[in-house]
Amino acid sequence: GAGVSQSPSNKVTEKGKDVELRCDPISGHTALYWYRQSLGQGLEFLIYFQGNSAPDKSGLPSDRFSAERTGGSVSTLTIQRTQQEDSAVYLCASSSPSLRTSGGAYNEQFFGPGTRLTVL
Amino acid sequence: ELKVEQNPLFLSMQEGKNYTIYCNYSTTSDRLYWYRQDPGKSLESLFVLLSNGAVKQEGRLMASLDTKARLSTLHITAAVHDLSATYFCAPRETSGSRLTFGEGTQLTVNP
């Protein structure tokens, strides 16, 4: 079955530009998470959505970062005025908090392939 | 704030040998995940450990959880080259939904 998809897979941008990263969760998964993975910081949590609301956005590193989710499905992570330290792989995950997913466990997070962001 | 320590961070072992990766965490967690990541790839879920004393096994990998000691282990039995990857543990805070990842253990299995 379809897993979590993310686009673009790679994004190269110039410092100061805005970027948008997209995540399509597994169909029926109500929870959606953004993480980022960088050499210096490892895997860091950014934001969590339950439906369209974000009860935990405490991991967003600055006000240049924002995310939204519409229709309880697709999510977009926006980074404004990108900086070189924003370079990382941005990973999206989704889960189903209340249902046992096929082959999975309650609230198991399934990850997408990631978007590799490079800020020049 | 939940802090997670994995050790070792780098592990080079020969095929056929056994070894254990350790994951310590600092505060109460209600479940713990183990993930595998191959170079340039995303995270693949290996195990979800839901309670104290939980033990899960898949092939040559076995994971366990001791919530009182705040410790999880990933044991590798008779390693094969295909197990070469980076392994992450990720406990979930009882009060929330986010996962906090360890630094990862980069495992290399040599023929």
Side-chain angles (χ1 to χ4, degrees), chain B residues 18-63:
Chain B
N18 304 332
Y19 209 82
T20 300
I21 299 169
Y22 296 88
C23 172
N24 290 274
Y25 54 96
S26 61
T27 64
T28 304
S29 169
D30 65 349
R31 64 190 61 195
L32 186 141
Y33 298 79
W34 282 95
Y35 286 90
R36 167 182 171 145
Q37 187 175 39
D38 291 287
K41 303 290 186 181
S42 190
L43 297 166
E44 174 191 351
S45 179
L46 294 175
F47 300 109
V48 182
L49 302 168
L50 298 175
S51 60
N52 187 42
V55 177
K56 294 273 186 79
Q57 182 162 5
E58 181 73 32
R60 301 174 188 274
L61 300 177
M62 183 173 71

Side-chain angles (χ1 to χ4, degrees), chain B:
Chain B
E1 181 186 345
L2 179 59
K3 295 192 184 301
V4 184
E5 283 189 5
Q6 277 184 244
N7 71 85
L9 299 183
F10 298 93
L11 175 57
S12 181
M13 55 191 299
Q14 285 187 311
E15 281 191 329
K17 299 292 187 183
N18 304 332
Y19 209 82
T20 300
I21 299 169
Y22 296 88
C23 172
N24 290 274
Y25 54 96
S26 61
T27 64
T28 304
S29 169
D30 65 349
R31 64 190 61 195
L32 186 141
Y33 298 79
W34 282 95
Y35 286 90
R36 167 182 171 145
Q37 187 175 39
D38 291 287
K41 303 290 186 181
S42 190
L43 297 166
E44 174 191 351
S45 179
L46 294 175
F47 300 109
V48 182
L49 302 168
L50 298 175
S51 60
N52 187 42
V55 177
K56 294 273 186 79
Q57 182 162 5
E58 181 73 32
R60 301 174 188 274
L61 300 177
M62 183 173 71
S64 66
L65 178 62
D66 181 343
T67 57
K68 294 179 181 176
R70 296 176 185 162
L71 170 68
S72 180
T73 62
L74 181 67
H75 187 73
I76 303 152
T77 302
V80 292
H81 180 67
D82 286 352
L83 290 180
S84 297
T86 299
Y87 293 84
F88 293 92
C89 68
R92 191 185 81 159
E93 291 186 41
T94 305
S95 60
S97 293
R98 65 162 74 182
L99 298 182
T100 301
F101 286 84
E103 308 99 312
T105 297
Q106 187 175 318
L107 171 66
T108 303
V109 181
N110 302 303

Side-chain angles (χ1 to χ4, degrees), chain A residues 24-51:
Chain A
D24 263 289
I26 293 172
S27 178
H29 279 193
T30 56
L32 186 147
Y33 309 79
W34 285 97
Y35 296 86
R36 73 175 176 182
Q37 186 173 28
S38 57
L39 278 176
Q41 301 298 323
L43 266 157
E44 306 171 278
F45 167 82
L46 297 177
I47 187 170
Y48 153 61
F49 286 93
Q50 179 58 43

Side-chain angles (χ1 to χ4, degrees), chain A residues 12 21 34 38 79:
Chain A
V12 180
L21 311 180
W34 285 97
S38 57
I79 310 173

